[in-house]
Amino acid sequence: MKLAFLPIISATLLSCSLLSACSNELADKTASTVSLKQAYKNSFLIGTAIGNDQLMHPQAVTTKLIEKEFNAATPENDMKWERIHPLPGQYDFAAADKFVEFAQKNNIFMTGHTLLWHSQAPDWIFEDENGQAVSREVLLGRLKDHIDTVVGRYKGRVQSWDVVNEALNEDGTMRQSKWYKIIGEDMIEKAFEYAHAADPEAELNYNDYNLNNPQKRLGVLRIVKQLQDKGLRIDGVGMQGHYSLFHPDFKEVEDSIIAYAETGVKVMFTEVDISVLIFPEDAEAGADVNQNFALQEKLNPYSKGLSPEAEAALDQRYTDLFEIFLRHEKDISRVTFWGTDDGMTWRNNWPMVGRSDYPLLFDRQSKAKSAYYKILALKQ
């Protein structure tokens, strides 16, 4: 293979990005001199989700990787209602405090996740002592108390909040959650109002999956306009970015970036991962955590490792996605991966317990995969 026509770049990046054959020696050399956050420092923040195990029982290799590669972070589960506020009047801030302490120590931009979500929400929130649905006023009071307490505790430290998460159906209509059924149409407005009052300086975002979907996109645009028309603060739309080798059409992703940016808010990709696995026929693409299917071996083809063909496809998919990000970097404030390495991704067990997935840039030993070098090469 003749390479004389190629522009002169480092031997390391040539071998990684063009030949797709990085030796361990070259990979280690590159990894020691450059990082994602350094490469993209003039484009957008590069983030990761941090799980409870890492917060409460830190693994040195993971800590080192986060410190080196990322300048933004989100707690994977430990600020969700079931973890931080499991019982009436009872808050558990242990893991959330660890998250904030670690992020502050390492100058990492923090996003609190999440204040209002239909999932991972204890039943007591919506019920009285007899198990009956509470009134609108009672539920609004509980929501305000929760937001005042959680956001207030981290006021001035957590810079950004996913105020409302996944409030829409795929057709852009409001999800018929308990929140919506009890509070009604203005539940999103109230959540943003309370969050802004609790910390007037914090960035406030709406977050959801499948926001490339044109119908769902219209639903988000409606939410943004309603909040803006009411004079309420909304700073960004979080596109979760739970993608795969087969879905979605990235043109839809790009169209959504453009549409959301035109409203004047920032766009952020908040939970990026790219599955290499095929979904069951009846599964919905996206990130509905309630989906659960029996394990099928034919849908778990990489239990002993990723094939070269699948790895090459993953490389190309990540390259295509980041090329879009870079075309719109003026409108994108953050790209956060949902997990740090393949060993800790939720994709391994969703929507089938026991599956092995490889959706991130670092493998199960926290070593950079070839997709990592592909993304770095875009900034060289």
Side-chain angles (χ1 to χ4, degrees):
M1 177 180 180
K2 294 183 179 181
L3 299 175
F5 67 94
L6 294 170
I8 298 174
I9 58 177
S10 74
T12 299
L13 289 176
L14 183 64
S15 63
C16 294
S17 65
L18 300 179
L19 300 182
S20 298
C22 299
S23 69
N24 288 336
E25 179 181 356
L26 290 175
D28 289 344
K29 181 178 179 181
T30 300
S32 68
T33 58
V34 71
S35 69
L36 288 173
K37 69 181 182 183
Q38 291 169 332
Y40 282 84
K41 65 182 180 180
N42 295 322
S43 299
F44 37 73
L45 296 172
I46 297 289
T48 185
I50 305 179
N52 181 269
D53 286 348
Q54 176 62 21
L55 290 172
M56 304 308 289
H57 308 285
Q59 298 297 307
V61 65
T62 305
T63 299
K64 184 178 179 180
L65 182 61
I66 294 171
E67 291 173 347
K68 178 178 182 293
E69 299 290 344
F70 303 102
N71 52 15
T74 306
E76 187 175 15
N77 286 295
D78 289 299
M79 283 185 176
K80 292 173 180 174
W81 204 308
E82 72 174 5
R83 294 282 184 90
I84 206 167
H85 193 180
L87 295 169
Q90 179 178 314
Y91 287 87
D92 182 354
F93 294 111
D97 284 352
K98 292 280 189 184
F99 169 78
V100 173
E101 178 184 353
F102 173 79
Q104 284 189 302
K105 177 182 176 183
N106 290 282
N107 196 30
I108 288 173
F109 181 93
M110 288 174 269
T111 297
H113 178 78
T114 173
L115 299 173
L116 189 157
W117 187 29
H118 67 277
S119 190
Q120 292 183 252
D123 289 339
W124 71 261
I125 302 170
F126 311 102
E127 298 175 354
D128 63 19
E129 60 275 10
N130 299 315
Q132 300 301 307
V134 297
S135 67
R136 166 186 160 89
E137 291 71 23
V138 168
L139 187 53
L140 283 173
R142 290 177 179 176
L143 177 63
K144 186 176 187 302
D145 173 76
H146 178 85
I147 291 175
D148 286 348
T149 304
V150 176
V151 177
R153 183 180 184 88
Y154 302 113
K155 181 179 179 180
R157 294 186 288 167
V158 172
Q159 299 100 323
S160 172
W161 288 93
D162 290 335
V163 180
V164 178
N165 195 49
E166 301 174 7
L168 294 175
N169 295 314
E170 293 305 292
D171 64 359
T173 60
M174 292 294 294
R175 183 190 294 271
Q176 297 296 302
S177 66
K178 292 178 181 179
W179 290 109
Y180 182 79
K181 289 179 179 179
I182 296 173
I183 295 175
E185 291 283 347
D186 62 345
M187 73 169 200
I188 295 177
E189 295 172 14
K190 290 296 185 183
F192 275 83
E193 175 188 328
Y194 299 156
H196 180 58
D199 187 350
E201 300 303 316
E203 296 181 3
L204 307 180
N205 313 310
Y206 176 78
N207 191 60
D208 212 328
Y209 59 85
N210 286 354
L211 295 194
N212 55 280
N213 178 331
Q215 289 181 296
K216 204 166 189 179
R217 181 194 307 151
L218 290 175
V220 175
L221 294 173
R222 184 185 69 248
I223 288 171
V224 172
K225 185 176 188 303
Q226 287 174 344
L227 291 171
Q228 291 174 334
D229 287 349
K230 293 287 181 67
L232 294 169
R233 178 169 185 166
I234 177 169
D235 296 284
V237 170
M239 299 177 65
Q240 287 187 11
H242 293 297
Y243 302 143
S244 78
L245 297 184
F246 319 101
H247 173 88
D249 179 345
F250 279 170
K251 182 182 184 305
E252 290 184 351
V253 173
E254 188 163 19
D255 289 346
S256 287
I257 295 171
I258 295 168
Y260 299 141
E262 286 177 346
T263 69
V265 302
K266 282 292 183 181
V267 180
M268 51 209 68
F269 285 79
T270 56
E271 304 181 21
V272 175
D273 48 30
I274 299 180
S275 175
V276 300
L277 299 175
I278 296 173
F279 275 42
E281 285 186 14
D282 296 334
E284 295 180 11
D288 185 345
V289 296
N290 295 312
Q291 294 188 87
N292 187 23
F293 295 83
L295 181 63
Q296 301 175 43
E297 288 305 317
K298 67 179 181 179
L299 299 182
N300 187 33
Y302 308 119
S303 60
K304 299 186 184 303
L306 194 59
S307 71
E309 295 79 10
E311 184 164 13
L314 183 65
D315 292 351
Q316 188 61 56
R317 194 71 163 150
Y318 263 119
T319 299
D320 292 344
L321 184 61
F322 267 74
E323 285 177 344
I324 292 173
F325 292 165
L326 288 172
R327 283 202 292 272
H328 300 279
E329 61 181 18
K330 67 180 177 60
D331 297 315
I332 295 173
S333 62
R334 172 168 52 93
V335 175
T336 293
F337 296 89
W338 205 240
T340 304
D341 67 38
D342 287 342
M344 57 186 67
T345 172
W346 72 293
R347 290 282 203 174
N348 284 324
N349 292 298
W350 180 86
M352 291 180 172
V353 174
R355 290 214 300 180
S356 297
D357 209 340
Y358 304 80
L360 299 170
L361 300 183
F362 300 91
D363 66 18
R364 283 163 169 74
Q365 286 72 49
S366 294
K367 298 292 186 182
K369 293 156 61 175
S370 56
Y372 169 91
Y373 297 102
K374 296 286 187 180
I375 291 172
L376 282 182
L378 295 177
K379 294 295 291 181
Q380 302 302 311

